[in-house]
């Protein structure tokens, strides 16, 4: 295993959940650009690097490599999970992206272990998986909505940690991002959805019910971050009131993770000189 | 069903396989821009329209709609199937894209009907599916490589037509694209792959074997285009020696198909005024 190169992971270091520390201001820039124009400019440069890294990861997978990346996006309604997928994962080749959104479990899904549906959506070798909500909903929602006894959802912390440890051992780098917004920003965004018929599809009356439990969800998230931010699969808190900062930060987290992974184009499974000679012979006949 | 608006489908009309017509020159522009700078400029405008249409299709799917789009990409090695996915599907939100590449069938896959693995990768409602190779390989390869008796691969024309008819009835618009390149262009691209270590992963010695059967594949493609270009699922031939033309043309084919489909943002499943009133009440308490 490569030793971590700290000089290359400043955003990971700055946004990683720290024991005992309060969450940052949702409108802050704890690291990186404080202005929109600068963030957008940097994003263009990140894009080139991210595309390169993703192509190498994909190629490594084609060549038999086992490694992959899983980006887990969590946050309150309107925190920008979908927008992050669009603006950050949208920077790279869709061939290498596997998106999975997890809604309220269906009756069929509820008859299985809560990780059953999640395992089916894991990225293949070479892929970047993006989870729009995830197995963390199975701790947060039963707790806040009082759907399960505390002993049951509490037992899931250990299950989730063991599951993610298994993923990491199998070659998946797990990047868990909590998109942190303020209740004021959520109110604005919910109103914007209701005022625009082209955004009605993003709105659900359940969003207001969840908002009524704002403090409960914040407490539930705080405990999730504390109990499941592990050395192998840390949580990152991204201030998400400003969309340009959120996109910049998640793109950087992905880039740093991929840089650390160091994907490599595979060795050829053929003799390059031989194939070039055959190609020349074919060319001469054309 | 909406009647077709021909004024909006000039590229579909110009590139659709016509009975008895020869294939266009792989370096031609039968419709649209003849210069790279113009094509790239137009692509930027197409992007905005394609994003809008795709968002509406996705929203329609969330709202219970059944419709989807399936882009089938076929062509000789190096014809740009992967590049088209990257540059055309890469224009839209990855949330709504489902990519599936079909390689040489595995032993397990060969024990099933040839459509088995294809059905598992169909786009969900609201999605744009992209097939990088497809069920057409199961006609082309057995024919050219003489893996099956002619009666067997010939029987597949009818099966494929029935399968696609079923898809269209279920709400999927099927866009079949043959990326048409010249043997000279292929030679250049294969050489470029062999000369660049970062492209070795895209090369396989099988590519040269397939190239040795160039004429056989061209005949096989010609018959596929003739027998499976139907009113419900026509084939389009895209001259693909110039990547910028290929990307422009496929982006236009997708845009015209989506425009014809006319996806609609769903009606809200809630009372908008009620929800706004509740939101105001919540806001006042914050």
């Amino acid at each position: 295993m490569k030793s971590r190169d700290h000089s290359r992971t400043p955003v990971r270091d700055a946004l990683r959940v720290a024991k005992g520390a309060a969450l940052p201001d949702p409108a802050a820039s704890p690291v990186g650009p404080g202005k929109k124009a600068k963030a957008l400019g940097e994003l263009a440069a990140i894009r080139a690097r991210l595309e390169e890294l993703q192509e190498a990861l994909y190629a490594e997978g084609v060549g038999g490599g086992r490694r992959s990346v899983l980006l887990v996006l969590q946050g309150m309604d309107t925190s920008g999970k979908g927008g992050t997928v669009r603006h950050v994962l949208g920077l790279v080749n869709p061939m290498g992206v596997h998106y999975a959104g997890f809604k309220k479990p269906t009756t069929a899904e509820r008859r299985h272990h809560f990780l059953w549906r999640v395992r089916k959506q894991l990225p293949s070798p070479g892929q970047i998986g993006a989870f729009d909500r995830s197995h963390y909903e199975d701790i947060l929602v039963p707790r806040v909505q009082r759907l399960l006894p505390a002993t049951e959802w509490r037992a899931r912390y250990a299950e989730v940690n063991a599951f993610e440890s298994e993923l990491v051992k199998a070659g998946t780098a797990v990047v868990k991002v909590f998109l942190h917004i303020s209740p004021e920003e959520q109110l604005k965004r919910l109103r914007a959805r209701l005022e625009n018929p082209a955004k009605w599809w993003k709105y659900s009356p359940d969003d207001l019910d969840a908002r009524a439990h704002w403090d409960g969800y914040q407490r539930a998230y705080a405990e999730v971050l504390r109990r499941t931010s592990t050395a192998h699969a840390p949580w990152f808190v991204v201030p998400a009131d400003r969309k340009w900062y959120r996109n910049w930060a998640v793109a950087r987290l992905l880039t740093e993770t991929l840089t650390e992974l160091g994907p490599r184009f595979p060795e050829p499974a053929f003799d390059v000189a031989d194939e070039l000679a055959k190609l020349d012979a074919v060319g001469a006949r054309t």
Side-chain angles (χ1 to χ4, degrees), chain A:
Chain A
M1 204 141 110
K2 268 178 67 180
S3 71
R4 267 188 64 218
D5 178 358
H6 279 276
S7 66
R8 290 179 129 176
T9 60
V11 180
R12 282 168 59 90
D13 290 342
L15 300 183
R16 183 179 292 116
V17 165
K19 272 218 163 58
L23 293 183
D25 182 329
S29 301
V31 59
K35 293 260 156 76
K36 183 172 179 175
K38 185 143 198 294
L40 296 181
E42 287 191 21
L43 199 58
I46 295 172
R47 178 189 189 146
R49 179 80 184 122
L50 197 54
E51 280 191 300
E52 267 177 32
L53 286 162
Q54 187 236 2
E55 186 171 15
L57 182 69
Y58 188 83
E60 189 186 273
V62 171
R66 298 170 63 196
R67 299 188 299 174
S68 61
V69 172
L70 174 62
L71 176 67
V72 172
L73 294 168
Q74 284 286 160
M76 299 295 284
D77 293 311
T78 79
S79 62
K81 299 176 290 293
T84 303
V85 170
R86 178 173 180 179
H87 295 286
V88 179
L89 278 303
L91 298 175
V92 301
N93 192 337
M95 245 162 109
V97 174
H98 179 73
Y99 167 83
F102 295 95
K103 297 187 198 279
K104 203 167 148 177
T106 63
T107 310
E109 286 170 345
R110 261 198 301 266
R111 292 170 61 202
H112 292 272
H113 188 273
F114 74 99
L115 292 172
W116 176 76
R117 65 175 187 161
V118 175
R119 288 185 190 273
K120 292 199 295 180
Q121 299 287 350
L122 290 171
S124 302
Q127 281 185 328
I128 300 178
F131 280 3
D132 178 348
R133 302 188 188 270
S134 67
H135 42 290
Y136 287 102
E137 294 291 311
D138 300 296
I139 296 176
L140 298 162
V141 179
R143 172 181 179 156
V144 178
Q145 309 285 348
R146 300 177 187 276
L147 303 177
L148 290 177
T151 48
E152 287 195 37
W153 56 258
R154 278 193 186 281
R156 293 182 173 178
Y157 290 129
E159 288 187 277
V160 156
N161 286 338
F163 168 59
E164 291 175 358
S165 162
E166 176 197 308
L167 293 185
V168 172
K169 277 180 200 146
T172 303
V174 180
V175 184
K176 302 187 293 193
V177 173
F178 173 55
L179 298 174
H180 181 40
I181 56 164
S182 63
E184 296 75 25
E185 181 65 23
Q186 189 194 50
L187 193 67
K188 266 194 242 169
R189 293 186 186 177
L190 287 174
R191 192 183 308 279
R193 288 184 179 180
L194 282 171
E195 286 171 349
N196 181 353
K199 289 188 174 181
W200 284 343
W201 66 279
K202 295 186 180 186
Y203 182 89
S204 156
D206 291 349
D207 298 355
L208 277 189
D209 298 337
R211 184 181 166 86
H213 293 285
W214 186 274
D215 294 339
Y217 273 109
Q218 297 300 309
R219 276 193 301 271
Y221 266 114
E223 189 166 331
V224 158
L225 299 181
R226 201 164 59 239
R227 290 192 184 270
T228 64
S229 197
T230 55
H232 57 271
W235 272 103
F236 302 98
V237 178
V238 169
D241 271 7
R242 297 173 307 173
K243 295 174 183 177
W244 52 265
Y245 186 77
R246 172 200 78 200
N247 294 340
W248 174 90
V250 179
R252 276 296 303 262
L253 289 173
L254 268 183
T255 307
E256 291 180 2
T257 302
L258 277 158
T259 301
E260 187 177 290
L261 213 57
R264 292 183 182 194
F265 287 103
E267 292 300 310
F270 49 85
D271 186 305
V272 176
D274 275 8
E275 294 297 319
L276 270 168
K278 281 196 248 172
L279 201 64
D280 286 334
V282 169
R285 286 198 304 272
T286 316

